[in-house]
Amino acid sequence: MKASEECLVCMLKQALNTARVATRNSAERREILNRVAALLPGMKLEQTPASLSMDVYRIAGEVTGRRDPYLRIKRQTNRTALAMLASVRRLVLSASDPLEAAVKAAIAGNIIDLGIGHAFDMRRDVRRIIAEPLTISALRQFRVEARSGRTCLYIGDNAGEIVFDRLLVEELIRRGVRVVFAVKSGPIINDATVADAKAAGLDSLTEIIETGSDDIGVNWERVSPAFRRAVAEADFLVAKGHGNFETCEDRPENFYFLLKAKCDVVASMLGVPLGATVFTRGRRSRTSRQSAPHRPPSDQSQNSD
């Protein structure tokens, strides 16, 4: 996915949000904004929005000396999500379709995104999203994928969010799927690392690997050998959130994306309104496995499963 002019405006918003988290020093905040703004004239939109944004966090780290300014917030969101886990698990297990409910719970966790600074109420929003139909659903296809003997590479997104991913991981394991869960190799915004995966209890369920870098989404030029091997071995892949969608949506592997559309650029690309809940299959995985011309399959539509 390529960036657009709107992404340049978003970079300044991300710079301001990160500056406010990283420092109370007004001079440092202004320096972060000034340095990010100075980059805009030379920014090339051929790269992904995720790649474009990396300079924001590099500059914030250089100015403040804080490598992981979101650490305290990540720990707090992990604690809040873990406090909700048992009650949300009951909602999933008591649902008429636990797989669908687990998918919705995982998407609901994607509200926890601190980079773009949207407002959310975790306790209210998670339950609301589970109760509502998905705007786009690839569940019919996914149900066929999620069967005994298959392997899934699950690429996590944010701290706190991965607590709700655990419910989908549990459901996949119950169906006999082998799951490998991937997290970042270093801190970037509030993205999950191995420490967050362990805090969420995922290490007791499945193998945890690292992507190989601290990039937003997946930087395919810097992936670890373990990640590259897991991609090759996976029958299907689940990728969470905007960054993973932006960097993986044009890949040939059998990708499924779970996210809440939180920016106009991604929402427009998906053909959904802002705030939509999305469970979609990758474009190239659809066309590479089907002889028909590219078009959204019948279950990739409003309330179709």
Side-chain angles (χ1 to χ4, degrees):
M1 174 181 172
K2 292 184 179 180
S4 70
E5 292 84 356
E6 289 92 335
C7 298
L8 301 178
V9 178
C10 186
M11 281 189 65
L12 289 175
K13 291 181 180 178
Q14 291 179 69
L16 180 58
N17 292 334
T18 304
R20 286 171 171 166
V21 170
T23 180
R24 295 181 179 180
N25 185 305
S26 60
E28 289 182 341
R29 289 179 176 180
R30 183 58 186 267
E31 182 179 352
I32 292 169
L33 286 169
N34 288 345
R35 287 181 58 178
V36 170
L39 293 176
L40 298 186
M43 285 289 181
K44 298 185 183 301
L45 300 181
E46 289 77 18
Q47 58 189 313
T48 66
S51 176
L52 196 72
S53 297
M54 285 299 298
D55 280 326
V56 171
Y57 304 98
R58 174 185 59 80
I59 288 169
E62 290 174 356
V63 171
T64 66
R66 297 185 65 185
R67 183 165 181 261
D68 191 4
Y70 287 89
L71 179 60
R72 181 186 60 81
I73 301 173
K74 288 192 294 184
R75 289 173 174 170
Q76 180 57 53
T77 53
N78 280 335
R79 288 193 294 267
T80 302
L82 284 166
M84 297 174 60
L85 180 61
S87 62
V88 178
R89 182 185 283 118
R90 285 194 294 270
L91 288 176
V92 169
L93 294 178
S94 63
S96 58
D97 186 346
L99 181 61
E100 179 184 40
V103 164
K104 288 181 178 180
I107 293 174
N110 192 232
I111 61 173
I112 307 169
D113 190 330
L114 303 179
I116 57 179
H118 77 290
F120 65 90
D121 181 321
M122 197 188 307
R123 295 183 183 278
R124 177 199 64 204
D125 292 345
V126 168
R127 288 175 172 81
R128 176 181 55 79
I129 291 170
I130 292 174
E132 295 175 351
L134 296 169
T135 308
I136 294 179
S137 174
L139 187 62
R140 187 177 304 151
Q141 294 169 318
F142 190 70
R143 202 185 301 280
V144 176
E145 305 273 13
R147 63 184 188 271
S148 182
R150 305 270 283 174
T151 296
C152 171
L153 174 59
Y154 198 121
I155 307 174
D157 190 15
N158 298 316
E161 176 178 349
I162 61 171
V163 172
F164 301 106
D165 290 323
R166 175 176 169 171
L167 297 171
L168 181 51
V169 170
E170 290 173 355
E171 184 61 27
L172 290 172
I173 291 172
R174 272 194 291 273
R175 290 169 173 262
V177 177
R178 172 179 173 259
V179 180
V180 177
F181 199 97
V183 293
K184 296 295 162 54
S185 296
I188 181 69
I189 325 179
N190 61 318
D191 286 22
T193 61
V194 170
D196 299 302
K198 290 180 176 179
L202 283 161
D203 59 325
S204 66
L205 296 173
T206 189
E207 179 185 358
I208 307 297
I209 64 170
E210 296 181 358
T211 60
S213 75
D214 58 356
D215 291 90
I216 300 170
V218 177
N219 183 335
W220 291 92
E221 296 180 356
R222 298 180 64 196
V223 294
S224 67
F227 185 86
R228 194 175 297 280
R229 185 166 55 250
V231 170
E233 293 175 353
D235 295 297
F236 62 102
L237 302 88
V238 173
K240 287 294 300 298
H242 278 222
N244 287 325
F245 176 76
E246 292 166 9
T247 54
C248 302
E249 60 88 22
D250 63 346
R251 295 286 301 181
E253 293 86 7
N254 189 20
F255 266 99
Y256 288 83
F257 298 100
L258 289 82
L259 68 146
K260 195 170 189 295
K262 292 170 294 205
C263 86
D264 291 325
V265 175
V266 169
S268 177
M269 181 175 181
L270 289 165
V272 298
L274 200 63
T277 51
V278 174
F279 183 27
T280 190
R281 195 177 180 199
R283 293 179 299 160
R284 292 185 64 183
S285 63
R286 291 201 299 265
T287 55
S288 65
R289 292 163 187 261
Q290 299 173 6
S291 58
H294 170 63
R295 60 180 180 274
S298 59
D299 67 335
Q300 299 255 347
S301 59
Q302 286 269 355
N303 196 17
S304 59
D305 190 84

